[in-house]
Tab-separated table of all heavy atoms in Angstrom:
chain	number	residue	atom	x	y	z
A	71	LEU	N	182.375	184.247	144.256
A	71	LEU	CA	182.229	184.736	142.891
A	71	LEU	C	182.951	183.779	141.947
A	71	LEU	O	184.138	183.503	142.130
A	71	LEU	CB	182.794	186.152	142.759
A	71	LEU	CG	182.497	186.858	141.447
A	71	LEU	CD1	180.983	187.055	141.234
A	71	LEU	CD2	183.210	188.204	141.377
A	72	LEU	N	182.210	183.276	140.975
A	72	LEU	CA	182.758	182.341	139.995
A	72	LEU	C	183.311	183.127	138.816
A	72	LEU	O	182.582	183.879	138.169
A	72	LEU	CB	181.670	181.375	139.513
A	72	LEU	CG	182.005	180.492	138.298
A	72	LEU	CD1	183.184	179.567	138.594
A	72	LEU	CD2	180.785	179.700	137.862
A	73	LEU	N	184.593	182.946	138.540
A	73	LEU	CA	185.205	183.476	137.325
A	73	LEU	C	184.902	182.416	136.269
A	73	LEU	O	185.629	181.456	136.102
A	73	LEU	CB	186.720	183.665	137.537
A	73	LEU	CG	187.448	184.525	136.529
A	73	LEU	CD1	188.839	184.881	137.046
A	73	LEU	CD2	187.525	183.933	135.165
A	74	ASP	N	183.770	182.582	135.617
A	74	ASP	CA	183.261	181.551	134.714
A	74	ASP	C	184.019	181.500	133.396
A	74	ASP	O	184.176	180.430	132.816
A	74	ASP	CB	181.770	181.788	134.445
A	74	ASP	CG	181.173	180.655	133.631
A	74	ASP	OD1	180.959	179.577	134.209
A	74	ASP	OD2	180.942	180.851	132.424
A	75	ASN	N	184.475	182.657	132.931
A	75	ASN	CA	185.161	182.680	131.638
A	75	ASN	C	186.016	183.929	131.546
A	75	ASN	O	185.596	185.008	131.964
A	75	ASN	CB	184.129	182.666	130.502
A	75	ASN	CG	184.754	182.526	129.137
A	75	ASN	OD1	185.959	182.365	128.987
A	75	ASN	ND2	183.928	182.603	128.123
A	76	ILE	N	187.189	183.748	130.990
A	76	ILE	CA	188.065	184.873	130.680
A	76	ILE	C	188.726	184.538	129.355
A	76	ILE	O	189.194	183.414	129.157
A	76	ILE	CB	189.085	185.128	131.808
A	76	ILE	CG1	189.879	186.407	131.533
A	76	ILE	CG2	189.964	183.937	132.055
A	76	ILE	CD1	190.669	186.897	132.731
A	77	ALA	N	188.689	185.475	128.439
A	77	ALA	CA	189.256	185.247	127.113
A	77	ALA	C	189.943	186.525	126.646
A	77	ALA	O	189.418	187.619	126.848
A	77	ALA	CB	188.162	184.854	126.121
A	78	VAL	N	191.103	186.369	126.025
A	78	VAL	CA	191.858	187.500	125.497
A	78	VAL	C	192.099	187.251	124.013
A	78	VAL	O	192.500	186.157	123.618
A	78	VAL	CB	193.199	187.680	126.248
A	78	VAL	CG1	194.007	188.829	125.667
A	78	VAL	CG2	192.957	187.901	127.740
A	79	ALA	N	191.845	188.272	123.208
A	79	ALA	CA	192.079	188.168	121.768
A	79	ALA	C	193.556	187.886	121.509
A	79	ALA	O	194.432	188.366	122.234
A	79	ALA	CB	191.660	189.456	121.074
A	80	GLU	N	193.832	187.126	120.458
A	80	GLU	CA	195.212	186.750	120.148
A	80	GLU	C	196.122	187.969	120.022
A	80	GLU	O	197.239	187.979	120.531
A	80	GLU	CB	195.260	185.916	118.869
A	80	GLU	CG	196.623	185.345	118.598
A	80	GLU	CD	196.651	184.379	117.435
A	80	GLU	OE1	195.590	184.029	116.892
A	80	GLU	OE2	197.765	183.977	117.072
A	81	ALA	N	195.650	189.016	119.378
A	81	ALA	CA	196.465	190.228	119.179
A	81	ALA	C	196.796	190.929	120.488
A	81	ALA	O	197.744	191.711	120.546
A	81	ALA	CB	195.732	191.195	118.255
A	82	ALA	N	196.047	190.651	121.538
A	82	ALA	CA	196.247	191.316	122.824
A	82	ALA	C	196.941	190.433	123.861
A	82	ALA	O	197.192	190.886	124.982
A	82	ALA	CB	194.893	191.778	123.359
A	83	ARG	N	197.256	189.209	123.518
A	83	ARG	CA	197.855	188.286	124.487
A	83	ARG	C	199.277	188.688	124.861
A	83	ARG	O	199.998	189.290	124.083
A	83	ARG	CB	197.864	186.864	123.936
A	83	ARG	CG	196.475	186.292	123.894
A	83	ARG	CD	196.447	184.812	123.590
A	83	ARG	NE	195.076	184.458	123.291
A	83	ARG	CZ	194.708	183.629	122.357
A	83	ARG	NH1	195.608	183.016	121.628
A	83	ARG	NH2	193.431	183.377	122.145
A	84	GLY	N	199.645	188.322	126.090
A	84	GLY	CA	200.994	188.578	126.565
A	84	GLY	C	201.242	190.020	126.984
A	84	GLY	O	202.387	190.415	127.194
Side-chain angles (χ1 to χ4, degrees):
L71 190 62
L72 169 62
L73 195 167
D74 186 75
N75 187 4
I76 187 167
V78 178
E80 188 173 353
R83 289 190 192 140

